[in-house]
Amino acid sequence: MNLLSLILIAMALIVCGCVFYVAWQFSSGEFEAKHAELNAKKEPGESKES
């Protein structure tokens, strides 16, 4: 196995880990709770960021 293959495998593992972490955070419901809390703090006349 040459160096390029090792680098590509390492990068693939890092990307998989990041995707798994983000999916875990979304599925935990914590993100939705924080987002709802931030929207509740805004005044009714304020513009919402997308």
Side-chain angles (χ1 to χ4, degrees):
M1 219 183 263
N2 59 12
L3 184 61
L4 180 60
S5 297
L6 293 175
I7 291 172
L8 289 175
I9 291 170
M11 288 177 64
L13 290 173
I14 291 169
V15 169
C16 288
C18 290
V19 169
F20 179 76
Y21 176 75
V22 169
W24 189 342
Q25 291 298 317
F26 275 123
S27 67
S28 72
E30 187 176 328
F31 178 78
E32 289 85 3
K34 286 183 182 177
H35 193 66
E37 182 181 319
L38 288 174
N39 282 338
K41 288 183 180 178
K42 289 186 176 180
E43 296 295 324
E46 289 185 28
S47 64
K48 294 183 178 179
E49 297 175 3
S50 57

